[in-house]
Every structure is written in C-alpha cells, then in structure tokens.
Amino acid sequence: MCRWLAYSGTPLLLDTILYKPAHSLIDQSLHSRLGVETTNGDGFGVGWYPQESIDTPALFTDVGPAWNNRNLRELADHVRSPLFFAHIRATTGTAVQQTNCHPFRHGRWMWMHNGAIAEFHLVRRDLTLLVDPELYADIEGTTDSEVMFYLALTFGLDQNPPEAVARMVGVVERVGHEHGVEFPLQMTIGVTDGERVWAFRYSSQRASRSLFYSTRVDTLRTLHPDAAFLREVSDDSRLVVSEPLGDLPGVWNEVPESTYGVIQDGADELYPFVPEPV
C-alpha cells in the first residue's frame, strides 16, 4: 500500500523530516518495515503551507519513485514550513499517474491515505454518485483515496472533520456490504486545513495498517538531553507517521485501533473512531 508522514510545529526545512531521519520516508520508499510492500515506488507527493498568508497549500507530486528524484532533493533543501504532508505510493490497482499521487488538495484542505476500499471496481460508481455534484468535477484521478476525500468534503469536512470522515466510512461500508464485500475498508488517513491535523486509524476488519505519533518534545528532551534536533523545535511540534523514522527509545507511540487524533494548539487529543451509518 503506501507510507506517509505529517509534521506540525516549528518551521523546518523539508529535508529535516524527509531525508535526515535514519529510517526516513525516503528510506521507507525502498525498505519499508511495516508496510504490505517493502517498496513504495509508484509515485510520491509532498504538500506544505507557506509561512506567508496563502489560502491554499503547495503541492509537488511525481509518478516516479521518491528515492532518486532530483527535483524532490532540491526542493527539500530550500522549502521551509510549519506543516508538511508527505506520501509515497504503492498502488493497489489504479494507474500510476500524477493525478493519483497524494496528497490531494481542495481549497485549504489536504488529504492523504494508506489502505484501500476493497473491490473498488465494484463500488466505485455507487460511491462517486454520492459526491456533491458541485464537487464532482474537481475529482482529477481514479483512486479510491480521492473518492474518499470528496465524500468527506460532501459530508461536511469544512464544518466537522471527524464527523465527516465517520460518515464517509459509514457509506463506504454500507455500499461495500450491498455488493457482498465482507470488509470494505482499510485506512489510515491524514487530513489538515493548515491549522490542525487529524489522523485516523480504522479498518472494517479491526486490523488496521500501522500508524504512530511522536511523544511531546519536552518529554523527549528529558529522555535524550544530547539530541540536538530536540533543542531546535518547540514543545508542541509533532509527527504522525506510518512507521517510526528511527529507533530512539520513547519517541514513538502507536495510534490505537479505531482511533483518531487531533494535533492543535494546546493539548493534542485522541478519541475513539466509530463510523456513522449513512
């Protein structure tokens, strides 16, 4: 499937989180430890919010593998942001093309996904017809991930992201069951409006793909007083990742099954995630 990371906190160069960690996302594109596939080379994407006041995030995507992309390497040395999304893709059957590379963007929102809608070819028509007609024309690619994004937008992502995602999952499961699919959905999702980040871990089978979040920086400074990187970032800086970026003790915490979290000003929060029937 795929691997992804979300960073929120002190403005950093993209290189700091994308290339420098021992088991960076670039390393995972060749040597994933926890993914379904070891290699994730079917395209990649990064998205970020400029520090200047701009309403929409910037995106850079490509259909080639991340590990040898010269433009990504160049970009990483020069782009600084307080909020990054990065994604490496292993297709579950849809085409390797630029419009299928994550993150996906609509207005100020970004979305990325690891997982799959089971038997997507059977349910795709029914699901896409549930997308708001005013949003439908903005779908560019052919992935289940993008359809999930536009369903969440249809169900009110702007107003209440957890409820919109719960309704999206509810309708995917209902339509899947109507087509005889026992376990319709597998997902970890990252979504942001540029201010907060929501991360979801859920699957119909209750056996979701891996997802981790980093421990608070002030706690990590106590555990690892010699780690120079920790002196450069604020206490509220946080990473959410498909798999840990290194083996430093105490850094990574598994997101529990059927749970979502919110990274925001003040205390971050974890909540149970329950699909809402639609």
Side-chain angles (χ1 to χ4, degrees):
M1 293 190 178
C2 308
R3 304 280 83 185
W4 60 260
L5 71 78
Y7 169 79
S8 176
T10 299
L12 295 175
L13 285 174
L14 178 58
D15 170 73
T16 307
I17 57 170
L18 190 61
Y19 283 91
K20 286 186 176 179
H23 188 47
S24 69
L25 205 64
I26 300 301
D27 183 60
Q28 292 175 36
S29 66
L30 278 168
H31 307 295
S32 172
R33 299 171 183 171
L34 301 179
V36 175
E37 298 87 6
T38 301
T39 303
N40 297 270
D42 296 325
F44 68 86
V46 293
W48 67 95
Y49 292 83
Q51 292 178 254
E52 300 81 8
S53 179
I54 296 176
D55 290 337
T56 59
L59 291 183
F60 174 62
T61 61
D62 199 282
V63 298
W67 63 76
N68 66 354
N69 190 283
R70 293 182 64 186
N71 289 329
L72 180 61
R73 175 69 269 185
E74 177 72 14
L75 195 73
D77 287 334
H78 293 87
V79 171
R80 185 183 301 272
S81 175
L83 203 164
F84 284 109
F85 271 18
H87 186 280
I88 50 176
R89 185 170 183 244
T91 179
T92 54
T94 50
V96 177
Q97 61 190 46
Q98 195 161 15
T99 53
N100 285 345
C101 293
H102 311 220
F104 300 103
R105 174 182 63 189
H106 188 273
R108 71 179 188 276
W109 291 91
M110 281 198 297
W111 174 282
M112 56 187 174
H113 167 232
N114 173 36
I117 295 177
E119 305 292 346
F120 182 53
H121 65 288
L122 296 179
V123 300
R124 179 180 174 183
R125 180 180 181 275
D126 287 357
L127 292 176
T128 53
L129 288 175
L130 295 173
V131 173
D132 186 328
E134 293 187 3
L135 295 170
Y136 183 86
D138 294 330
I139 298 175
E140 295 185 316
T142 61
T143 64
D144 51 355
S145 305
E146 191 177 16
V147 171
M148 291 164 65
F149 180 29
Y150 277 84
L151 284 170
L153 288 164
T154 297
F155 294 139
L157 191 66
D158 268 330
Q159 288 76 45
N160 188 325
E163 181 177 315
V165 174
R167 294 182 68 194
M168 177 274 291
V169 172
V171 79
V172 169
E173 292 193 321
R174 174 177 63 78
V175 171
H177 291 149
E178 289 171 355
H179 286 265
V181 181
E182 183 178 7
F183 301 116
L185 185 59
Q186 172 73 243
M187 72 176 208
T188 65
I189 287 172
V191 59
T192 182
D193 60 359
E195 297 180 4
R196 290 179 289 175
V197 176
W198 293 263
F200 298 82
R201 185 180 184 219
Y202 175 81
S203 67
S204 305
Q205 199 171 4
R206 307 301 190 269
S208 300
R209 300 291 178 252
S210 58
L211 193 65
F212 298 82
Y213 64 95
S214 60
T215 300
R216 279 187 58 88
V217 172
D218 51 354
T219 301
L220 292 177
R221 289 196 196 100
T222 302
L223 291 173
H224 305 287
D226 296 328
F229 169 76
L230 296 174
R231 296 193 292 270
E232 300 172 4
V233 295
S234 63
D235 290 352
D236 59 355
S237 295
R238 185 78 87 238
L239 278 158
V240 182
V241 297
S242 293
E243 59 187 78
L245 304 184
D247 300 321
L248 203 62
V251 174
W252 302 106
N253 312 276
E254 186 173 15
V255 176
E257 178 67 44
S258 301
T259 297
Y260 76 92
V262 188
I263 299 174
Q264 57 192 349
D265 288 340
D268 300 334
E269 298 172 345
L270 284 173
Y271 300 96
F273 178 77
V274 179
E276 182 177 327
V278 176

